Amino acid sequence: MGILIKNGTIVTAIDKYVGDVRCTEGKITEIGTDLEKSSGEEVIDASGQYVFPGGLDPHVHMELPFMGTISADDFETGTAAGVAGGTTSIIDFVIPARDEDLMDALAAWHDKAAKSVSDYAFHMAVTWWGDQTADWMRTCVEEKGIPSFKTFMAYRGAIGVDDVELIEVMKTARALNALVTVHAEHGDMVVALQDQLMAEGKTGPKYHALSRPAPLEGEATSRAIMLARMTKEPLYVVHVTCVQAVEAIAAARARGQLVHGETCPQYLLLDDSIYDQPGFAGAAAVMSPPIRPKGHQEALWHALRSGTLEVVATDHCPFNLHGQKDMGKDDFRRIPNGAAGIEHRLALMYTAGVMGGRLNLHQFVDLTSTRAAKIFGMYPRKGSITVGADADLVVWDPAATGTISAKTHHHKVDTSIFENFETRGTCSSVIVNGRVQYSDGNLKVERGAGRYVERSLP
Ligand code: URP
Ligand code: ZN
Ligand code: ZN
């Protein structure tokens, strides 16, 4: 059974027009005006509403084993929360343990992800360098549909790599026409500051932020850019949070280096006063890099508008305050790093970006869907409203309002870092692979309906 969306204002990264969209067998099959309903077709009246391409979140961690626990949303609940908020595909990170066979880790991720309700792809994290690593990277690109690799300059002694390993990853990726993505923080300096603060008896959540100040991110971003320049490898910097990193990316782009930057709603909308909440509550916002002092947020908005930053992802990686985050109640170094975000990315960006006068509708679509699809080799199948694209669509009611709360969200976690945030605009219907999976507040997802998307870069 197909779907006919009637009379919506169709908005893509470049176009805006009123029209109808027909979806048949999971694909967009016709776009026009006054399209007639075919027999058996479900009609969605989108008059007065927008029709956007489904959101693509290229930075999520579902059921990630990390810091002695596992992130709280699995692939089913996490992708379902995404659908409830208009995100219809994700790219998760396969993260092997140090010394683990990358192909074994990939097989384990495929097992976990098979229960996704919407489509998914993977980046491969290279967490160590050994005799087989280059071959595994080649297999990822040539046989597994994974042309992007993740490196962590932080998390030393766990999943982090040193510069020698990072250079090998970049050289190998360059030869494979693959893209290296990087978590940029000066890992050794973080450890030194953590140890110093703990020795001074500073154990609470706010010291997490003080152990990872912005200059450490700025330095690592600059270093990664320099290494990418020397190896002639393009670079994608994940979760950019601060002025220093933005300036490094802007300078690289100005001299013609291909460097992409991503940020997340929490870095645009929160400041480090979140760590001053009473007791242990600030632990909910312990993530790396941390939420920054006031001032950095406006620089990030500026960078989105100017194109220095091109993607808004979430780094969705939730941990419960009770039972997970509290592993670190006497030692901030043991608080699992990460927070939930996938459900509210579109609503927050629409509210603060579009309604806040900071972004136009095309920038909103580009930042939350189209650009990531292009950078990571999923366009036009994802991120577009064109005949032949996957029928992943959001019907967006601009008049609706909402309030974010852990009591009502679909994330499987006991807190929200955006608790009580008021939002404007919401999905009235979300179509995933040609099926309505969310409508008027009700999720109708199907465990396992998501498909693995193989990618290749142009
Ligand atoms: O704190 C975070 N960001 N947790 C997830 C892992 C990562 O660094 O992206
Ligand atoms: Zn990271
Ligand atoms: Zn991450």
Side-chain angles (χ1 to χ4, degrees):
M1 192 181 78
I3 297 172
L4 181 61
I5 304 171
K6 292 283 296 174
N7 295 318
T9 300
I10 297 164
V11 182
T12 70
I14 43 173
D15 289 316
K16 180 165 174 259
Y17 55 95
V18 174
D20 307 337
V21 184
R22 194 187 307 279
C23 308
T24 317
E25 293 179 1
K27 297 281 179 196
I28 296 174
T29 48
E30 198 175 2
I31 302 169
T33 47
D34 300 324
L35 299 186
E36 295 289 333
K37 171 184 180 321
S38 302
S39 99
E41 229 169 28
E42 178 180 350
V43 175
I44 298 175
D45 178 9
S47 311
Q49 303 191 64
Y50 295 123
V51 181
F52 299 137
L56 165 61
D57 190 340
H59 187 162
V60 300
H61 304 281
M62 306 304 175
E63 51 188 300
L64 171 68
F66 190 50
M67 297 185 72
T69 184
I70 297 175
S71 61
D73 265 316
D74 65 21
F75 277 87
E76 181 182 5
T77 63
T79 51
V83 168
T87 288
T88 53
S89 17
I90 59 165
I91 314 181
D92 198 278
F93 294 81
V94 178
I95 306 189
R98 194 158 253 279
D99 295 334
E100 185 181 357
D101 179 323
L102 270 59
M103 295 301 112
D104 289 349
L106 177 58
W109 248 260
H110 271 296
D111 283 349
K112 295 193 283 190
K115 57 186 171 296
S116 299
V117 306
S118 59
D119 288 354
Y120 56 93
F122 297 136
H123 309 281
M124 173 60 76
V126 181
T127 51
W128 62 289
W129 194 262
D131 293 345
Q132 290 175 279
T133 311
D135 276 347
W136 287 327
M137 287 177 66
R138 178 176 303 283
T139 304
C140 283
V141 176
E142 294 179 354
E143 297 172 26
K144 307 292 184 186
I146 304 178
S148 50
F149 297 96
K150 175 71 175 287
T151 53
F152 294 92
M153 297 169 85
Y155 308 129
R156 299 310 301 273
I159 55 177
V161 291
D162 62 23
D163 286 357
V164 175
E165 293 171 312
L166 182 51
I167 291 165
E168 291 300 333
V169 176
M170 287 179 172
K171 284 191 328 201
T172 307
R174 166 74 185 154
L176 294 169
N177 186 35
L179 180 60
V180 170
T181 76
V182 64
H183 170 137
E185 286 183 293
H186 195 303
D188 291 325
M189 194 65 226
V190 169
V191 173
L193 288 174
Q194 286 177 328
D195 291 347
Q196 181 187 320
L197 288 161
M198 282 301 293
E200 293 167 3
K202 296 171 175 164
T203 61
K206 79 173 189 186
Y207 298 107
H208 167 80
L210 296 180
S211 72
R212 315 180 87 104
L216 274 52
E217 181 184 338
E219 186 280 337
T221 305
S222 299
R223 183 158 33 104
I225 288 171
M226 179 273 290
L227 297 178
R229 187 179 183 186
M230 293 300 123
T231 55
K232 299 186 170 50
E233 167 61 10
L235 186 68
Y236 180 101
V237 186
V238 303
H239 51 41
V240 171
T241 73
C242 63
V243 175
Q244 291 89 332
V246 165
E247 286 175 351
I249 294 168
R253 291 169 67 90
R255 66 171 173 261
Q257 202 180 336
L258 186 51
V259 178
H260 306 287
E262 164 204 284
T263 190
C264 310
Q266 58 270 32
Y267 300 120
L268 291 160
L269 299 173
L270 303 176
D271 65 65
D272 64 352
S273 62
I274 196 162
Y275 297 117
D276 294 331
Q277 295 172 79
F280 191 64
V286 164
M287 62 185 73
S288 295
I291 306 293
R292 297 299 182 196
K294 280 195 177 66
H296 290 281
Q297 299 75 16
E298 215 41 58
L300 297 177
W301 282 111
H302 219 279
L304 290 179
R305 276 198 301 278
S306 67
T308 300
L309 298 180
E310 298 173 87
V311 173
V312 176
T314 61
D315 195 11
H316 180 82
C317 190
F319 296 100
N320 287 298
L321 192 59
H322 302 287
Q324 293 188 294
K325 293 271 185 183
D326 52 11
M327 287 162 45
K329 72 179 160 14
D330 301 318
D331 180 349
F332 67 84
R333 297 172 301 183
R334 301 192 57 219
I335 302 170
N337 288 196
I342 192 169
E343 182 173 356
H344 302 119
R345 182 178 62 128
L346 267 58
L348 289 167
M349 292 309 295
Y350 185 83
T351 303
V354 179
M355 300 311 292
R358 293 165 163 128
L359 302 174
N360 64 38
L361 281 170
H362 304 295
Q363 290 169 315
F364 166 79
V365 170
D366 199 36
L367 289 165
T368 57
S369 178
T370 309
R371 192 65 67 100
K374 287 181 176 171
I375 292 172
F376 290 115
M378 299 169 89
Y379 186 85
R381 177 175 172 184
K382 304 293 184 188
S384 81
I385 302 182
T386 49
V387 171
D390 283 356
D392 290 344
L393 295 160
V394 174
V395 181
W396 186 264
D397 179 359
T401 57
T403 306
I404 296 174
S405 174
K407 295 191 190 76
T408 50
H409 68 196
H410 293 85
H411 301 141
K412 214 177 83 190
V413 69
D414 60 3
T415 50
S416 171
I417 54 173
F418 298 109
E419 188 72 28
N420 291 327
F421 263 61
E422 310 259 317
T423 55
R424 293 173 67 187
T426 195
C427 318
S428 58
S429 299
V430 181
I431 293 108
V432 187
N433 286 325
R435 284 186 43 241
V436 178
Q437 295 215 0
Y438 180 82
S439 168
D440 297 325
N442 299 309
L443 264 178
K444 301 178 213 163
V445 293
E446 187 189 328
R447 180 182 166 93
R451 301 161 306 178
Y452 175 62
V453 179
E454 292 200 20
R455 301 180 290 119
S456 62
L457 299 187

PDB file of all heavy atoms in Angstrom, residues 25-57:
ATOM      1  N   GLU A  25       6.075   1.325  -2.537  1.00  0.00           N
ATOM      2  CA  GLU A  25       7.057   0.271  -2.235  1.00  0.00           C
ATOM      3  C   GLU A  25       8.375   0.845  -1.712  1.00  0.00           C
ATOM      4  O   GLU A  25       9.451   0.475  -2.159  1.00  0.00           O
ATOM      5  CB  GLU A  25       7.284  -0.608  -3.467  1.00  0.00           C
ATOM      6  CG  GLU A  25       6.029  -1.407  -3.786  1.00  0.00           C
ATOM      7  CD  GLU A  25       6.164  -2.280  -5.022  1.00  0.00           C
ATOM      8  OE1 GLU A  25       7.244  -2.284  -5.630  1.00  0.00           O
ATOM      9  OE2 GLU A  25       5.179  -2.928  -5.359  1.00  0.00           O
ATOM     10  N   GLY A  26       8.238   1.768  -0.777  1.00  0.00           N
ATOM     11  CA  GLY A  26       9.418   2.259  -0.070  1.00  0.00           C
ATOM     12  C   GLY A  26      10.193   3.363  -0.770  1.00  0.00           C
ATOM     13  O   GLY A  26      11.186   3.854  -0.237  1.00  0.00           O
ATOM     14  N   LYS A  27       9.741   3.750  -1.959  1.00  0.00           N
ATOM     15  CA  LYS A  27      10.465   4.787  -2.709  1.00  0.00           C
ATOM     16  C   LYS A  27       9.542   5.968  -3.002  1.00  0.00           C
ATOM     17  O   LYS A  27       8.320   5.800  -3.061  1.00  0.00           O
ATOM     18  CB  LYS A  27      10.958   4.240  -4.060  1.00  0.00           C
ATOM     19  CG  LYS A  27      11.955   3.117  -3.948  1.00  0.00           C
ATOM     20  CD  LYS A  27      13.336   3.665  -3.631  1.00  0.00           C
ATOM     21  CE  LYS A  27      14.354   2.540  -3.498  1.00  0.00           C
ATOM     22  NZ  LYS A  27      15.576   2.983  -2.852  1.00  0.00           N
ATOM     23  N   ILE A  28      10.131   7.128  -3.246  1.00  0.00           N
ATOM     24  CA  ILE A  28       9.365   8.256  -3.779  1.00  0.00           C
ATOM     25  C   ILE A  28       9.205   8.003  -5.278  1.00  0.00           C
ATOM     26  O   ILE A  28      10.199   7.836  -6.003  1.00  0.00           O
ATOM     27  CB  ILE A  28      10.097   9.588  -3.524  1.00  0.00           C
ATOM     28  CG1 ILE A  28      10.194   9.840  -2.013  1.00  0.00           C
ATOM     29  CG2 ILE A  28       9.379  10.739  -4.234  1.00  0.00           C
ATOM     30  CD1 ILE A  28      11.038  11.055  -1.632  1.00  0.00           C
ATOM     31  N   THR A  29       7.958   7.930  -5.735  1.00  0.00           N
ATOM     32  CA  THR A  29       7.744   7.548  -7.138  1.00  0.00           C
ATOM     33  C   THR A  29       7.173   8.678  -7.985  1.00  0.00           C
ATOM     34  O   THR A  29       7.224   8.607  -9.217  1.00  0.00           O
ATOM     35  CB  THR A  29       6.789   6.325  -7.229  1.00  0.00           C
ATOM     36  OG1 THR A  29       5.655   6.577  -6.400  1.00  0.00           O
ATOM     37  CG2 THR A  29       7.498   5.065  -6.781  1.00  0.00           C
ATOM     38  N   GLU A  30       6.621   9.706  -7.337  1.00  0.00           N
ATOM     39  CA  GLU A  30       6.071  10.807  -8.134  1.00  0.00           C
ATOM     40  C   GLU A  30       6.005  12.063  -7.261  1.00  0.00           C
ATOM     41  O   GLU A  30       5.665  11.995  -6.077  1.00  0.00           O
ATOM     42  CB  GLU A  30       4.649  10.432  -8.614  1.00  0.00           C
ATOM     43  CG  GLU A  30       4.167  11.276  -9.758  1.00  0.00           C
ATOM     44  CD  GLU A  30       2.791  10.808 -10.295  1.00  0.00           C
ATOM     45  OE1 GLU A  30       2.216   9.845  -9.735  1.00  0.00           O
ATOM     46  OE2 GLU A  30       2.316  11.439 -11.255  1.00  0.00           O
ATOM     47  N   ILE A  31       6.328  13.196  -7.868  1.00  0.00           N
ATOM     48  CA  ILE A  31       6.191  14.494  -7.189  1.00  0.00           C
ATOM     49  C   ILE A  31       5.469  15.407  -8.175  1.00  0.00           C
ATOM     50  O   ILE A  31       5.819  15.451  -9.359  1.00  0.00           O
ATOM     51  CB  ILE A  31       7.567  15.096  -6.842  1.00  0.00           C
ATOM     52  CG1 ILE A  31       8.364  14.133  -5.945  1.00  0.00           C
ATOM     53  CG2 ILE A  31       7.412  16.447  -6.141  1.00  0.00           C
ATOM     54  CD1 ILE A  31       9.824  14.514  -5.761  1.00  0.00           C
ATOM     55  N   GLY A  32       4.437  16.093  -7.731  1.00  0.00           N
ATOM     56  CA  GLY A  32       3.712  16.958  -8.659  1.00  0.00           C
ATOM     57  C   GLY A  32       2.630  17.725  -7.940  1.00  0.00           C
ATOM     58  O   GLY A  32       2.672  17.878  -6.712  1.00  0.00           O
ATOM     59  N   THR A  33       1.660  18.203  -8.719  1.00  0.00           N
ATOM     60  CA  THR A  33       0.507  18.857  -8.108  1.00  0.00           C
ATOM     61  C   THR A  33      -0.751  18.143  -8.592  1.00  0.00           C
ATOM     62  O   THR A  33      -0.754  17.539  -9.679  1.00  0.00           O
ATOM     63  CB  THR A  33       0.429  20.349  -8.505  1.00  0.00           C
ATOM     64  OG1 THR A  33       0.612  20.458  -9.906  1.00  0.00           O
ATOM     65  CG2 THR A  33       1.466  21.179  -7.788  1.00  0.00           C
ATOM     66  N   ASP A  34      -1.794  18.204  -7.787  1.00  0.00           N
ATOM     67  CA  ASP A  34      -3.076  17.561  -8.115  1.00  0.00           C
ATOM     68  C   ASP A  34      -2.923  16.088  -8.474  1.00  0.00           C
ATOM     69  O   ASP A  34      -3.589  15.580  -9.377  1.00  0.00           O
ATOM     70  CB  ASP A  34      -3.754  18.310  -9.280  1.00  0.00           C
ATOM     71  CG  ASP A  34      -4.033  19.766  -8.922  1.00  0.00           C
ATOM     72  OD1 ASP A  34      -4.373  20.024  -7.743  1.00  0.00           O
ATOM     73  OD2 ASP A  34      -3.865  20.627  -9.801  1.00  0.00           O
ATOM     74  N   LEU A  35      -2.022  15.388  -7.794  1.00  0.00           N
ATOM     75  CA  LEU A  35      -1.881  13.947  -8.057  1.00  0.00           C
ATOM     76  C   LEU A  35      -3.129  13.231  -7.550  1.00  0.00           C
ATOM     77  O   LEU A  35      -3.650  13.537  -6.474  1.00  0.00           O
ATOM     78  CB  LEU A  35      -0.643  13.379  -7.360  1.00  0.00           C
ATOM     79  CG  LEU A  35       0.722  13.954  -7.768  1.00  0.00           C
ATOM     80  CD1 LEU A  35       1.856  13.171  -7.090  1.00  0.00           C
ATOM     81  CD2 LEU A  35       0.908  13.933  -9.280  1.00  0.00           C
ATOM     82  N   GLU A  36      -3.622  12.280  -8.352  1.00  0.00           N
ATOM     83  CA  GLU A  36      -4.823  11.526  -7.986  1.00  0.00           C
ATOM     84  C   GLU A  36      -4.444  10.381  -7.063  1.00  0.00           C
ATOM     85  O   GLU A  36      -3.418   9.727  -7.271  1.00  0.00           O
ATOM     86  CB  GLU A  36      -5.474  10.924  -9.253  1.00  0.00           C
ATOM     87  CG  GLU A  36      -6.014  11.947 -10.235  1.00  0.00           C
ATOM     88  CD  GLU A  36      -7.268  12.646  -9.702  1.00  0.00           C
ATOM     89  OE1 GLU A  36      -7.991  12.033  -8.884  1.00  0.00           O
ATOM     90  OE2 GLU A  36      -7.490  13.817 -10.085  1.00  0.00           O
ATOM     91  N   LYS A  37      -5.299  10.130  -6.097  1.00  0.00           N
ATOM     92  CA  LYS A  37      -5.106   8.977  -5.194  1.00  0.00           C
ATOM     93  C   LYS A  37      -5.273   7.684  -5.990  1.00  0.00           C
ATOM     94  O   LYS A  37      -6.245   7.544  -6.741  1.00  0.00           O
ATOM     95  CB  LYS A  37      -6.149   9.077  -4.085  1.00  0.00           C
ATOM     96  CG  LYS A  37      -6.267   7.891  -3.159  1.00  0.00           C
ATOM     97  CD  LYS A  37      -7.420   8.159  -2.193  1.00  0.00           C
ATOM     98  CE  LYS A  37      -7.722   7.093  -1.184  1.00  0.00           C
ATOM     99  NZ  LYS A  37      -7.668   5.716  -1.485  1.00  0.00           N
ATOM    100  N   SER A  38      -4.334   6.764  -5.850  1.00  0.00           N
ATOM    101  CA  SER A  38      -4.501   5.443  -6.472  1.00  0.00           C
ATOM    102  C   SER A  38      -5.243   4.540  -5.498  1.00  0.00           C
ATOM    103  O   SER A  38      -5.284   4.805  -4.296  1.00  0.00           O
ATOM    104  CB  SER A  38      -3.150   4.802  -6.765  1.00  0.00           C
ATOM    105  OG  SER A  38      -2.398   5.612  -7.594  1.00  0.00           O
ATOM    106  N   SER A  39      -5.740   3.432  -6.014  1.00  0.00           N
ATOM    107  CA  SER A  39      -6.541   2.576  -5.139  1.00  0.00           C
ATOM    108  C   SER A  39      -5.665   1.977  -4.030  1.00  0.00           C
ATOM    109  O   SER A  39      -4.529   1.568  -4.268  1.00  0.00           O
ATOM    110  CB  SER A  39      -7.237   1.494  -5.964  1.00  0.00           C
ATOM    111  OG  SER A  39      -6.552   0.318  -5.902  1.00  0.00           O
ATOM    112  N   GLY A  40      -6.192   1.979  -2.844  1.00  0.00           N
ATOM    113  CA  GLY A  40      -5.478   1.426  -1.689  1.00  0.00           C
ATOM    114  C   GLY A  40      -4.478   2.375  -1.066  1.00  0.00           C
ATOM    115  O   GLY A  40      -3.862   2.057  -0.047  1.00  0.00           O
ATOM    116  N   GLU A  41      -4.288   3.540  -1.654  1.00  0.00           N
ATOM    117  CA  GLU A  41      -3.285   4.459  -1.149  1.00  0.00           C
ATOM    118  C   GLU A  41      -3.802   5.215   0.077  1.00  0.00           C
ATOM    119  O   GLU A  41      -4.962   5.617   0.111  1.00  0.00           O
ATOM    120  CB  GLU A  41      -2.954   5.485  -2.242  1.00  0.00           C
ATOM    121  CG  GLU A  41      -1.489   5.682  -2.478  1.00  0.00           C
ATOM    122  CD  GLU A  41      -1.235   6.494  -3.750  1.00  0.00           C
ATOM    123  OE1 GLU A  41      -2.078   7.319  -4.145  1.00  0.00           O
ATOM    124  OE2 GLU A  41      -0.189   6.283  -4.341  1.00  0.00           O
ATOM    125  N   GLU A  42      -2.901   5.431   1.064  1.00  0.00           N
ATOM    126  CA  GLU A  42      -3.253   6.237   2.226  1.00  0.00           C
ATOM    127  C   GLU A  42      -2.925   7.693   1.889  1.00  0.00           C
ATOM    128  O   GLU A  42      -1.836   7.977   1.382  1.00  0.00           O
ATOM    129  CB  GLU A  42      -2.410   5.761   3.411  1.00  0.00           C
ATOM    130  CG  GLU A  42      -2.631   6.536   4.675  1.00  0.00           C
ATOM    131  CD  GLU A  42      -1.744   6.000   5.834  1.00  0.00           C
ATOM    132  OE1 GLU A  42      -1.119   4.925   5.689  1.00  0.00           O
ATOM    133  OE2 GLU A  42      -1.698   6.698   6.856  1.00  0.00           O
ATOM    134  N   VAL A  43      -3.872   8.580   2.171  1.00  0.00           N
ATOM    135  CA  VAL A  43      -3.631   9.995   1.862  1.00  0.00           C
ATOM    136  C   VAL A  43      -3.338  10.751   3.160  1.00  0.00           C
ATOM    137  O   VAL A  43      -4.050  10.602   4.156  1.00  0.00           O
ATOM    138  CB  VAL A  43      -4.848  10.623   1.142  1.00  0.00           C
ATOM    139  CG1 VAL A  43      -4.632  12.122   0.935  1.00  0.00           C
ATOM    140  CG2 VAL A  43      -5.088   9.929  -0.199  1.00  0.00           C
ATOM    141  N   ILE A  44      -2.255  11.541   3.140  1.00  0.00           N
ATOM    142  CA  ILE A  44      -1.939  12.424   4.277  1.00  0.00           C
ATOM    143  C   ILE A  44      -2.129  13.853   3.790  1.00  0.00           C
ATOM    144  O   ILE A  44      -1.465  14.274   2.841  1.00  0.00           O
ATOM    145  CB  ILE A  44      -0.490  12.216   4.755  1.00  0.00           C
ATOM    146  CG1 ILE A  44      -0.296  10.779   5.255  1.00  0.00           C
ATOM    147  CG2 ILE A  44      -0.126  13.216   5.848  1.00  0.00           C
ATOM    148  CD1 ILE A  44       1.137  10.435   5.628  1.00  0.00           C
ATOM    149  N   ASP A  45      -3.032  14.574   4.443  1.00  0.00           N
ATOM    150  CA  ASP A  45      -3.246  15.974   4.082  1.00  0.00           C
ATOM    151  C   ASP A  45      -2.197  16.827   4.808  1.00  0.00           C
ATOM    152  O   ASP A  45      -2.240  16.962   6.028  1.00  0.00           O
ATOM    153  CB  ASP A  45      -4.666  16.398   4.481  1.00  0.00           C
ATOM    154  CG  ASP A  45      -4.912  17.875   4.170  1.00  0.00           C
ATOM    155  OD1 ASP A  45      -4.058  18.494   3.497  1.00  0.00           O
ATOM    156  OD2 ASP A  45      -5.958  18.403   4.609  1.00  0.00           O
ATOM    157  N   ALA A  46      -1.268  17.378   4.033  1.00  0.00           N
ATOM    158  CA  ALA A  46      -0.187  18.171   4.636  1.00  0.00           C
ATOM    159  C   ALA A  46      -0.391  19.668   4.411  1.00  0.00           C
ATOM    160  O   ALA A  46       0.558  20.451   4.535  1.00  0.00           O
ATOM    161  CB  ALA A  46       1.150  17.718   4.058  1.00  0.00           C
ATOM    162  N   SER A  47      -1.630  20.071   4.152  1.00  0.00           N
ATOM    163  CA  SER A  47      -1.896  21.508   3.946  1.00  0.00           C
ATOM    164  C   SER A  47      -1.427  22.300   5.158  1.00  0.00           C
ATOM    165  O   SER A  47      -1.699  21.917   6.304  1.00  0.00           O
ATOM    166  CB  SER A  47      -3.401  21.769   3.801  1.00  0.00           C
ATOM    167  OG  SER A  47      -3.954  20.894   2.881  1.00  0.00           O
ATOM    168  N   GLY A  48      -0.741  23.387   4.908  1.00  0.00           N
ATOM    169  CA  GLY A  48      -0.270  24.241   6.000  1.00  0.00           C
ATOM    170  C   GLY A  48       0.926  23.659   6.747  1.00  0.00           C
ATOM    171  O   GLY A  48       1.344  24.204   7.770  1.00  0.00           O
ATOM    172  N   GLN A  49       1.459  22.551   6.250  1.00  0.00           N
ATOM    173  CA  GLN A  49       2.595  21.918   6.930  1.00  0.00           C
ATOM    174  C   GLN A  49       3.775  21.791   5.951  1.00  0.00           C
ATOM    175  O   GLN A  49       3.607  21.876   4.743  1.00  0.00           O
ATOM    176  CB  GLN A  49       2.205  20.537   7.442  1.00  0.00           C
ATOM    177  CG  GLN A  49       0.989  20.573   8.375  1.00  0.00           C
ATOM    178  CD  GLN A  49       0.789  19.237   9.062  1.00  0.00           C
ATOM    179  OE1 GLN A  49       1.624  18.792   9.831  1.00  0.00           O
ATOM    180  NE2 GLN A  49      -0.326  18.589   8.763  1.00  0.00           N
ATOM    181  N   TYR A  50       4.942  21.571   6.516  1.00  0.00           N
ATOM    182  CA  TYR A  50       6.130  21.344   5.685  1.00  0.00           C
ATOM    183  C   TYR A  50       6.324  19.847   5.449  1.00  0.00           C
ATOM    184  O   TYR A  50       5.950  19.018   6.289  1.00  0.00           O
ATOM    185  CB  TYR A  50       7.386  21.882   6.374  1.00  0.00           C
ATOM    186  CG  TYR A  50       7.395  23.378   6.560  1.00  0.00           C
ATOM    187  CD1 TYR A  50       7.538  23.936   7.827  1.00  0.00           C
ATOM    188  CD2 TYR A  50       7.289  24.232   5.470  1.00  0.00           C
ATOM    189  CE1 TYR A  50       7.573  25.314   8.004  1.00  0.00           C
ATOM    190  CE2 TYR A  50       7.318  25.618   5.636  1.00  0.00           C
ATOM    191  CZ  TYR A  50       7.447  26.137   6.908  1.00  0.00           C
ATOM    192  OH  TYR A  50       7.473  27.490   7.079  1.00  0.00           O
ATOM    193  N   VAL A  51       6.946  19.530   4.332  1.00  0.00           N
ATOM    194  CA  VAL A  51       7.409  18.159   4.091  1.00  0.00           C
ATOM    195  C   VAL A  51       8.923  18.233   3.923  1.00  0.00           C
ATOM    196  O   VAL A  51       9.434  18.900   3.011  1.00  0.00           O
ATOM    197  CB  VAL A  51       6.753  17.560   2.824  1.00  0.00           C
ATOM    198  CG1 VAL A  51       7.235  16.118   2.624  1.00  0.00           C
ATOM    199  CG2 VAL A  51       5.229  17.604   2.928  1.00  0.00           C
ATOM    200  N   PHE A  52       9.639  17.614   4.866  1.00  0.00           N
ATOM    201  CA  PHE A  52      11.107  17.613   4.852  1.00  0.00           C
ATOM    202  C   PHE A  52      11.610  16.209   4.504  1.00  0.00           C
ATOM    203  O   PHE A  52      10.937  15.210   4.817  1.00  0.00           O
ATOM    204  CB  PHE A  52      11.677  17.922   6.253  1.00  0.00           C
ATOM    205  CG  PHE A  52      11.305  19.260   6.828  1.00  0.00           C
ATOM    206  CD1 PHE A  52      10.926  19.353   8.171  1.00  0.00           C
ATOM    207  CD2 PHE A  52      11.391  20.428   6.069  1.00  0.00           C
ATOM    208  CE1 PHE A  52      10.621  20.580   8.740  1.00  0.00           C
ATOM    209  CE2 PHE A  52      11.083  21.662   6.633  1.00  0.00           C
ATOM    210  CZ  PHE A  52      10.694  21.739   7.972  1.00  0.00           C
ATOM    211  N   PRO A  53      12.830  16.107   3.950  1.00  0.00           N
ATOM    212  CA  PRO A  53      13.448  14.776   3.886  1.00  0.00           C
ATOM    213  C   PRO A  53      13.661  14.275   5.313  1.00  0.00           C
ATOM    214  O   PRO A  53      13.936  15.070   6.220  1.00  0.00           O
ATOM    215  CB  PRO A  53      14.798  15.015   3.202  1.00  0.00           C
ATOM    216  CG  PRO A  53      14.896  16.458   2.882  1.00  0.00           C
ATOM    217  CD  PRO A  53      13.714  17.181   3.461  1.00  0.00           C
ATOM    218  N   GLY A  54      13.551  12.980   5.531  1.00  0.00           N
ATOM    219  CA  GLY A  54      13.775  12.436   6.871  1.00  0.00           C
ATOM    220  C   GLY A  54      15.146  12.851   7.384  1.00  0.00           C
ATOM    221  O   GLY A  54      16.113  12.953   6.627  1.00  0.00           O
ATOM    222  N   GLY A  55      15.221  13.093   8.683  1.00  0.00           N
ATOM    223  CA  GLY A  55      16.500  13.483   9.275  1.00  0.00           C
ATOM    224  C   GLY A  55      17.505  12.342   9.223  1.00  0.00           C
ATOM    225  O   GLY A  55      17.142  11.165   9.336  1.00  0.00           O
ATOM    226  N   LEU A  56      18.772  12.691   9.043  1.00  0.00           N
ATOM    227  CA  LEU A  56      19.871  11.720   9.107  1.00  0.00           C
ATOM    228  C   LEU A  56      20.793  12.159  10.233  1.00  0.00           C
ATOM    229  O   LEU A  56      21.320  13.282  10.205  1.00  0.00           O
ATOM    230  CB  LEU A  56      20.629  11.686   7.765  1.00  0.00           C
ATOM    231  CG  LEU A  56      22.000  10.994   7.770  1.00  0.00           C
ATOM    232  CD1 LEU A  56      21.885   9.525   8.166  1.00  0.00           C
ATOM    233  CD2 LEU A  56      22.661  11.112   6.395  1.00  0.00           C
ATOM    234  N   ASP A  57      20.973  11.312  11.226  1.00  0.00           N
ATOM    235  CA  ASP A  57      21.889  11.613  12.329  1.00  0.00           C
ATOM    236  C   ASP A  57      23.153  10.773  12.135  1.00  0.00           C
ATOM    237  O   ASP A  57      23.131   9.554  12.378  1.00  0.00           O
ATOM    238  CB  ASP A  57      21.224  11.309  13.677  1.00  0.00           C
ATOM    239  CG  ASP A  57      22.050  11.839  14.843  1.00  0.00           C
ATOM    240  OD1 ASP A  57      23.260  12.080  14.658  1.00  0.00           O
ATOM    241  OD2 ASP A  57      21.478  12.008  15.945  1.00  0.00           O
TER     242      ASP A  57
END
